[in-house]
Amino acid sequence: MPNSKNIQINSLDFDNIRASLKDYLKEQDTFKDYDFDGSGMSVLLDLLSYHSYQQGFYNNMVANEMFLDSAIKRDSVVSHAKSLGYTPRSSRSAKATVDITFGSTAGLSSTFAIGNRFNSTSAGRSYQFTNTSTGTINLDANTVGAGATAHISNLEITEGSLNQTSFIVDNSNLNQKFVIPDLDIDTSTISVNIQTSATDNTGRTDLWSLAPANIADITNTTKAFFLEQNRDGKYEIIFGDGVVGVKPTSGSLVTITYLRSNGADANSLSTFSHGSGSNTITTISNSSGGSTAESVASIRFNAPRVYSSQNRAVTPDDYVSLIL
């Protein structure tokens, strides 16, 4: 028997905790010759043992979640990755390339605007595609009259429904966050515009860009935004502070446009339709490249490796290289 004046702590399973507590109490004069297994004390021993076991398990889980290589919960892994400057990859939308021949030239201009919808169906499920950049409509010499045609060549279309969310900047609110509400977004399709107010269109077509990896490339006049994933799995837009990147003024209207993606489910589609039945779509390349959001295992593997190779200013040699 171990020295019963000391409770054993080197084994934390329930039975050993209970046995250790009982051995300890047996050696106390107050409980000498007490029947620990046939009395109310047995219930108290069970309660103490359960509490100790649960506390030990909880502390073990908390300790695991404190480190990237042992964390299990996704929000813990994302939080650790953020401290390394790593943003987990979102879902990626499938892309396809098509030619369009228009059945009529009526009302057509030479520009095919962003946001036109293309539809495709597979296994009874419908998918929506859109063009995220403008296209050029090639009109025949005879743009009016019988037999006149118009077409677009090699137009890239991207799977996903086009969505927008807007915010009014309030710099007096230090806790204001610009969180995109959808979980299934493709962050590579995010575009950000900032108007000086909700009624002033200044800046409506002035796109802000994703901040470069090297912070030394960002000045107080750089219209850039930073992208992070929060603990809820949603992506958040962060703006500069007036020193590193432009800080939007209070009252400005922030408009974020993005595609909600179906990921890998939209791969390998080959048939598309657009507009009226008179338009003919010829598929140049089937949809491909769609993928699901980055897994926990992938984040855990990639985050420290991206951190070790990024442009950073930590050591004297880092500063020397940046200055040069």
Side-chain angles (χ1 to χ4, degrees), residues 85-132:
Y86 183 78
T87 301
R89 186 186 67 251
S90 70
S91 298
R92 286 291 184 259
S93 297
K95 299 179 184 292
T97 305
V98 298
D99 287 351
I100 308 173
T101 300
F102 296 91
S104 171
T105 59
L108 289 180
S109 68
S110 59
T111 302
F112 193 66
I114 293 173
N116 278 271
R117 295 184 179 182
F118 298 79
N119 298 308
S120 185
T121 303
S122 177
R125 184 177 176 183
S126 297
Y127 297 92
Q128 179 180 310
F129 285 69
T130 188
N131 58 306
T132 58

Side-chain angles (χ1 to χ4, degrees), residues 27-255:
E27 292 299 315
Q28 311 304 312
D29 293 338
T30 306
F31 298 104
K32 194 172 185 178
D33 299 325
Y34 204 89
D35 182 5
F36 291 96
D37 295 320
S39 65
M41 184 64 76
S42 178
V43 177
L44 295 178
L45 282 173
D46 285 344
L47 182 61
L48 283 171
S49 301
Y50 274 123
H51 177 268
S52 299
Y53 178 74
Q54 290 174 341
Q55 188 66 36
F57 178 80
Y58 172 76
N59 289 338
N60 181 66
M61 292 297 295
V62 169
N64 284 340
E65 297 301 318
M66 290 176 65
F67 302 96
L68 178 61
D69 57 350
S70 59
I72 297 173
K73 297 169 61 178
R74 182 180 180 88
D75 59 349
S76 298
V77 173
V78 169
S79 180
H80 290 306
K82 183 187 298 185
S83 68
L84 297 177
Y86 183 78
T87 301
R89 186 186 67 251
S90 70
S91 298
R92 286 291 184 259
S93 297
K95 299 179 184 292
T97 305
V98 298
D99 287 351
I100 308 173
T101 300
F102 296 91
S104 171
T105 59
L108 289 180
S109 68
S110 59
T111 302
F112 193 66
I114 293 173
N116 278 271
R117 295 184 179 182
F118 298 79
N119 298 308
S120 185
T121 303
S122 177
R125 184 177 176 183
S126 297
Y127 297 92
Q128 179 180 310
F129 285 69
T130 188
N131 58 306
T132 58
S133 59
T134 58
T136 300
I137 300 178
N138 298 310
L139 300 171
D140 284 352
N142 297 319
T143 58
V144 180
T149 61
H151 66 279
I152 300 176
S153 299
N154 296 317
L155 179 71
E156 183 179 77
I157 55 176
T158 305
E159 186 272 326
S161 56
L162 196 61
N163 291 269
Q164 278 189 346
T165 186
S166 299
F167 304 90
I168 299 294
V169 177
D170 180 8
N171 289 329
S172 65
N173 180 5
L174 300 180
N175 295 318
Q176 184 178 29
K177 296 182 182 297
F178 305 100
V179 179
I180 301 173
D182 289 310
L183 288 171
D184 298 323
I185 73 169
D186 179 351
T187 57
S188 68
T189 66
I190 291 176
S191 64
V192 176
N193 302 81
I194 300 182
Q195 299 171 222
T196 55
S197 72
T199 57
D200 185 353
N201 288 333
T202 302
R204 187 172 183 178
T205 59
D206 188 12
L207 281 176
W208 289 47
S209 58
L210 181 65
N214 189 354
I215 196 173
D217 294 333
I218 306 174
T219 69
N220 61 351
T221 61
T222 303
K223 293 183 177 180
F225 64 88
F226 301 85
L227 185 68
E228 292 182 355
Q229 188 176 39
N230 63 22
R231 296 178 70 91
D232 295 329
K234 296 178 180 177
Y235 286 90
E236 178 182 347
I237 299 294
I238 299 173
F239 295 103
D241 59 359
V243 177
V244 180
V246 174
K247 181 178 181 178
T249 58
S250 287
S252 298
L253 175 64
V254 176
T255 302

